[in-house]
Amino acid sequence: MALSITGKAMGSTSLDLKAGTITKTIPVSVRSTNLLAYGPASGNNLNVTVAKDGSLDLASTEAIEIGKGVQWPALDLSEYVGRTLCLGFDGDLAPQALVIVLRDANEQNGVVVYTGNNNQTFTVTEANKNTLMLKFVRGGVDAGIMTGNIKIRLTIGDTPQTWMRPDVTNLSGGA
């Protein structure tokens, strides 16, 4: 019989188990439901910083060309092979300005979200389990400025979950 515990907040705690007169204390780490790993990134006139709550602040002072932006190193999704994941976001960026991509280096085997195409699902395969990279690129039809705050999430299942700060928010990204 397996025991599953869901915590409401990330961090460390302990679980006390008692059987008769024997009590055992087990340390427990509560991980984020958000499987992404990101941090500050800069390139192609886009600067991304991590806000205190773990969301991302995007700022550009010059126009960003269509299809240009920043990306982070590939995620390790090995433990999710065969499972459905959902990529989505909440934020205040202009429609069509930001396209969020989670794909491999060949721009395949992943998912794309943007205003009007949010909360998309995909299945982790043996082939893409450690090749998918998070990218933010300029969308739309014209180059332009991008500013705003975004809460991006990658969660287990085929429906979006409430945003939660990822466990890793200090992973550097770049152009």
Side-chain angles (χ1 to χ4, degrees), residues 1-7 11-19 22-30:
M1 179 175 173
L3 179 63
S4 177
I5 302 170
T6 303
S12 296
T13 188
S14 62
L15 175 65
D16 291 333
L17 298 176
K18 187 172 183 176
I22 300 172
T23 299
K24 179 73 175 173
T25 300
I26 301 169
V28 175
S29 292
V30 179

Side-chain angles (χ1 to χ4, degrees), residues 1 19 24 44 53 55-56 73 80 84 88 99 105 110 112-113 118 122 130 140 148-149:
M1 179 175 173
K24 179 73 175 173
N44 296 310
D53 67 356
S55 63
L56 294 173
Y80 305 102
T84 299
V99 177
V112 177
V113 296
N118 199 0
F122 70 101
N130 56 12
N149 178 271

Side-chain angles (χ1 to χ4, degrees), residues 40-42 69-73 105 107 133-137 171-175:
S42 185
V70 297
Q71 69 182 31
W72 288 267
E107 297 299 321
M133 295 177 282
L134 177 63
K135 302 176 186 181
F136 289 178
V137 297
L171 181 65
S172 294

Side-chain angles (χ1 to χ4, degrees), residues 103-109 133 135:
R103 288 206 171 149
D104 62 22
N106 297 322
E107 297 299 321
Q108 298 176 3
N109 302 316
M133 295 177 282
K135 302 176 186 181

Side-chain angles (χ1 to χ4, degrees), residues 42-46 64-65 67-71 136-138 146 174-175:
S42 185
N44 296 310
N45 297 328
L46 179 60
I64 300 168
E65 294 178 41
K68 300 288 184 177
V70 297
Q71 69 182 31
F136 289 178
V137 297
R138 174 74 189 186
M146 288 197 314

Side-chain angles (χ1 to χ4, degrees), residues 120-139:
Q120 299 296 306
T121 62
F122 70 101
T123 301
V124 179
T125 66
E126 235 358 93
N128 70 13
K129 68 182 178 185
N130 56 12
T131 64
L132 300 177
M133 295 177 282
L134 177 63
K135 302 176 186 181
F136 289 178
V137 297
R138 174 74 189 186

